[in-house]
Amino acid sequence: MEKYYLAVDIGASSGRHILGSLKDGKLNLEEIYRFPNGMKDVDGSVCWDVEALFCEIKEGLKRCKEAGKIPSYMGIDTWAVDYVLLDGKDQVLGKTYGYRDSRTTGMDEKVYEIISREELYGRTGIQKQIFNTIYQLMAVKQKEPELFDKAESLLFIPDYFHFLLTGVKKTEYTNATTSQLVSPRTKDWDYELIDRLEYSRKIFGKISKPGTYVGNFREEIRREVGFDCQVILPATHDTGSAVAAIPTTKDNALYISSGTWSLMGTELMAADCTLESMKRNLTNEGGYDYRFRYLKNIMGLWMIQSVRREFKEEYSYDYICRQASEQTIPSIVDCNDNCFLAPKSMIEEVKDYCQKSGQQVPENEWETAAVIYNSLGRCYAETIGQIEQMTGQKYDRIYVVGGGSNAEYLNRITAKYTGRAVYAGPGEATAIGNLLVQMLYNQEFVNLKMARACVKDSFEIRKYEKT
């Protein structure tokens, strides 16, 4: 009888239930259910609707039952840094803020009044992003201190969904590291840092590794969806799962996890928390088996997604890529500038940036898209140079995984600007990595290298030559 594993992979714009199974040494995928997602305005705040998302999770489980393909194991991954605070009755306190909410503005300076940016990086190795959990919690302390008084626990979004399914609270390692509150040396919360910031120590639960058993479905969930299942922690940070699925057995591979964000980096066995690493704004996020994802957060396809929403007609991403490829505008923007994080109009923001920097201003949406794609390629090239300088390694190829690996024009642009061959695919890397960790738990693979070899053999990987 075929054994099924289920990855529930929830991104910033959509979620999907992907069933995985092994047959003749190859991984087979089947999408069972897909649903929309997005941040919503709640009384002037940018928030997630976690109640609606959990309903979608259960609906996807019911679809598995209807299809007669009941998973034995499952796990959920999402974006990082966002969380819920729970009271003593496990009820959500306050709003479930999204990372694009503006309440963190100025909270970095509040943190730096207590600990310098240099010491903070030395303790955590995490890239400064204004939406990191450390700054979100400072916003709670400054603006909603009553929530801390009532809070008994903090769970990141996927941990919260696992809790709703099983009744068991587990805090998963890869997501926890993005909070900028975890020590890369102890692989645990930096409680001294937490105390200095005057955050409530009790809300930070024990951290568990990917591949940890959480529990079986609660009786109420079993009745509702029609079956029982073992819930296993994947790398709950979607990038952690995507990196687990890089299709190579070589160590020190260079990758881009390409989607709403572009996460570009390599893997280290020990974090680099040096001042030079901090100056280059590189980060040391936790990975599977206590590897470190040494990478840079780049704005990524969020910019193209935002431009697409402004079009008068709905165009496919393939069509946008083709139109952008025919433009000759030379302008370049800094993809990591905060002005592109959540603008009212991405098109106008790109135009404004070009005008202020004395460059040619795009005259239409296709030139705007071309500026964004070329800017991403330039940013990738600069980031490779920084990573090579910091690691002492030379990289002749880039593995591009995730939804952005299907953007052929961007892959060609990446090869052009970086001077490296690009190996693109698989597109569903996040779900695949989620499934691999479940399979590693069930001893389908001896180790991660063997699991990655399976990915290499199971999926088409497209090569783009350097130019």
Side-chain angles (χ1 to χ4, degrees), residues 98-117:
Y99 58 84
R100 295 190 191 277
D101 185 73
S102 62
R103 81 194 196 289
T104 55
T105 301
M107 293 302 113
D108 49 346
E109 296 305 320
K110 293 293 183 182
V111 168
Y112 301 151
E113 289 174 7
I114 299 167
I115 179 172
S116 69
R117 182 177 178 183

Side-chain angles (χ1 to χ4, degrees), residues 79-354:
W79 62 96
V81 305
D82 291 340
Y83 61 88
V84 296
L85 291 174
L86 302 179
D87 65 16
K89 296 182 179 179
D90 293 326
Q91 299 299 305
V92 176
L93 291 165
K95 300 174 181 177
T96 304
Y97 293 100
Y99 58 84
R100 295 190 191 277
D101 185 73
S102 62
R103 81 194 196 289
T104 55
T105 301
M107 293 302 113
D108 49 346
E109 296 305 320
K110 293 293 183 182
V111 168
Y112 301 151
E113 289 174 7
I114 299 167
I115 179 172
S116 69
R117 182 177 178 183
E118 292 76 13
E119 184 185 355
L120 181 59
Y121 189 88
R123 295 183 76 110
T124 67
I126 296 298
Q127 175 187 19
K128 188 266 180 83
Q129 298 276 15
I130 194 60
F131 48 71
N132 288 351
T133 318
I134 188 173
Y135 307 115
Q136 294 200 42
L137 292 179
M138 182 55 72
V140 174
K141 178 182 172 183
Q142 296 292 321
K143 302 177 181 182
E144 301 176 285
E146 69 280 3
L147 297 184
F148 269 159
D149 295 336
K150 298 175 183 177
E152 292 293 329
S153 54
L154 177 150
L155 291 176
F156 294 98
I157 300 297
D159 298 330
Y160 178 57
F161 291 144
H162 288 146
F163 166 65
L164 292 178
L165 288 172
T166 66
V168 178
K169 296 176 184 176
K170 295 278 188 184
T171 300
E172 189 274 327
Y173 171 69
T174 66
N175 214 323
T177 62
T178 67
S179 68
Q180 212 170 0
L181 291 166
V182 171
S183 167
R185 299 166 185 84
T186 66
K187 317 298 192 294
D188 197 1
W189 298 112
D190 187 335
Y191 286 108
E192 181 184 338
L193 172 60
I194 288 167
D195 289 344
R196 285 169 63 180
L197 294 167
E198 297 182 340
Y199 298 163
S200 179
R201 183 187 276 232
K202 67 181 178 182
I203 67 176
F204 298 95
K206 181 182 177 182
I207 295 176
S208 298
K209 293 172 59 176
T212 298
Y213 169 73
V214 180
N216 282 52
F217 286 169
R218 293 185 293 117
E219 182 178 349
E220 177 186 339
I221 299 296
R222 290 199 298 271
R223 288 199 306 268
E224 185 173 353
V225 304
F227 63 92
D228 193 14
C229 185
Q230 294 187 55
V231 177
I232 309 299
L233 288 181
T236 63
H237 182 195
D238 50 11
T239 308
S241 279
V243 170
I246 296 170
T248 179
T249 57
K250 295 183 178 180
D251 293 327
N252 304 319
L254 187 71
Y255 58 79
I256 301 174
S257 177
S258 181
T260 300
W261 291 88
S262 290
L263 295 308
M264 186 176 199
T266 188
E267 286 185 307
L268 302 178
M269 295 311 296
D272 184 341
C273 301
T274 62
L275 185 61
E276 187 61 30
S277 182
M278 185 203 79
K279 289 178 179 177
R280 297 177 184 276
N281 215 18
L282 292 162
T283 198
N284 297 268
E285 296 176 353
Y288 180 78
D289 201 22
Y290 288 141
R291 297 162 182 258
F292 289 93
R293 291 175 286 122
Y294 189 57
L295 57 84
K296 176 167 284 192
N297 241 320
I298 300 167
M299 198 72 74
L301 293 176
W302 157 252
M303 297 178 74
I304 289 293
Q305 292 164 359
S306 299
V307 167
R308 182 174 181 249
R309 284 194 291 270
E310 295 183 54
F311 287 169
K312 294 177 182 178
E313 298 181 48
E314 185 170 322
Y315 299 109
S316 70
Y317 287 114
D318 284 343
Y319 184 77
I320 295 171
C321 277
R322 289 198 302 273
Q323 292 296 316
S325 68
E326 296 175 2
Q327 311 306 312
T328 58
I329 183 169
S331 302
I332 296 291
V333 302
D334 178 3
C335 296
N336 287 326
D337 194 294
N338 282 337
C339 69
F340 301 121
L341 185 61
K344 292 181 179 179
S345 168
M346 186 65 74
I347 291 175
E348 292 304 316
E349 203 66 50
V350 171
K351 289 181 177 179
D352 186 58
Y353 188 102
C354 291

Side-chain angles (χ1 to χ4, degrees), residues 452-463:
R452 284 174 167 169
C454 180
V455 176
K456 184 179 179 181
D457 294 339
S458 300
F459 302 96
E460 177 189 7
I461 310 300
R462 302 173 306 283
K463 183 179 180 182

